[in-house]
């Protein structure tokens, strides 16, 4: 059974054209995370939501925003994608911030033309 | 700040042998350390967690050790199979206390040859 679902799996956008990636979860977890992973690199945390509380990482560019309208869904908005934003974007969940395990979705591969 | 180092070179071994992957961290010892498996084009999948007061943890053919003196964790796969071929990521909490925010190593790619 799918637990963390990401749509679409592949997204192509044009330089500067806003794009939204979506994540949903059936685990009823309180925390949802967004990571960026470039080729052969470690996943890098962009931000996370603990319930409705948004926590941005200090080095996340302003170009990246997120919304969490309810427990199940979380969106990543890239306002003006640049070529450097091409990457795999991973959504993950955990029961609470101190819970050990994170459950990842399959990722969305973003291509910027 | 905390940094994680994993061998970026791929590890190639023969089926049936034991694979050993290394994860070193540079700063304070975390409350726990985790290992994930990532297949190409997929999200990481949690495998094992070991806490700072545990020396060793096992799950089926997997074994993890945690040496806070050496600031190192070793991840072993015994009786390796071609299906074990993947990238293995080490992760730990980025704070000295339990923040729930993980930092990941870049991973080591394991290739098991039949």
């Amino acid at each position: 059974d799918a637990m963390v679902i990401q749509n679409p799996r592949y997204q192509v956008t044009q330089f500067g054209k806003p794009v939204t990636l979506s994540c949903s979860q059936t685990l009823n977890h309180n925390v949802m995370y967004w990571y960026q992973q470039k080729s052969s690199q470690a996943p890098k945390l962009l931000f996370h939501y603990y319930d409705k509380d948004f926590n941005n990482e200090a080095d996340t560019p302003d170009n990246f925003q997120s919304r969490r309208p309810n427990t199940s869904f979380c969106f990543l908005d890239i306002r003006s994608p640049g070529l450097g934003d091409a990457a795999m974007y991973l959504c993950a969940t955990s029961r609470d911030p101190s819970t050990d395990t994170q459950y990842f979705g399959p990722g969305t591969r973003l291509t910027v033309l | 700040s905390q940094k994680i180092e994993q061998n970026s070179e791929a590890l190639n071994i023969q089926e049936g042998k034991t694979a050993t992957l290394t994860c070193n961290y540079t700063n304070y010892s975390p409350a726990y350390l985790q290992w994930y498996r990532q297949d190409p084009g997929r999200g990481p999948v949690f495998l094992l967690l070991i806490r700072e007061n545990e020396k060793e943890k096992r799950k089926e053919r997997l074994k993890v050790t945690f040496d806070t003196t050496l600031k190192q964790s070793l991840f072993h796969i015994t009786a390796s199979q071609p299906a074990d071929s993947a990238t293995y990521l080490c992760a730990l909490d980025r704070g000295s206390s339990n923040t729930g925010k993980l930092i990941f190593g870049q991973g080591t790619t394991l290739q098991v040859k039949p």
Side-chain angles (χ1 to χ4, degrees), chain A residues 33-104:
Chain A
Y33 305 83
W34 279 105
Y35 289 85
Q36 178 193 63
Q37 186 178 27
K38 296 188 176 179
S39 182
S40 300
Q41 294 186 22
K44 179 178 176 297
L45 182 64
L46 295 173
F47 26 58
H48 75 277
Y49 272 95
Y50 178 26
D51 288 332
K52 294 181 181 178
D53 292 333
F54 178 69
N55 296 270
N56 199 23
E57 292 302 298
D59 56 354
T60 297
D62 292 340
N63 200 22
F64 291 85
Q65 305 283 322
S66 186
R67 296 170 284 134
R68 189 178 185 185
N70 54 52
T71 301
S72 301
F73 284 87
C74 196
F75 300 98
L76 169 62
D77 300 307
I78 308 176
R79 292 192 298 187
S80 182
L83 298 179
D85 296 327
M88 174 77 88
Y89 289 88
L90 297 163
C91 174
T93 73
S94 67
R95 197 167 294 117
D96 61 62
S98 61
T99 299
D100 311 319
T101 303
Q102 293 188 14
Y103 296 83
F104 283 83

Side-chain angles (χ1 to χ4, degrees), chain A residues 2-48:
Chain A
M3 294 188 290
V4 182
I5 303 159
Q6 290 189 244
N7 285 306
R9 292 294 317 281
Y10 300 91
Q11 176 74 57
V12 180
T13 190
Q14 290 181 334
F15 183 94
K17 186 174 180 182
V19 66
T20 294
L21 310 181
S22 112
C23 177
S24 63
Q25 53 132 341
T26 60
L27 297 164
N28 204 33
H29 282 172
N30 294 313
V31 191
M32 294 186 78
Y33 305 83
W34 279 105
Y35 289 85
Q36 178 193 63
Q37 186 178 27
K38 296 188 176 179
S39 182
S40 300
Q41 294 186 22
K44 179 178 176 297
L45 182 64
L46 295 173
F47 26 58
H48 75 277

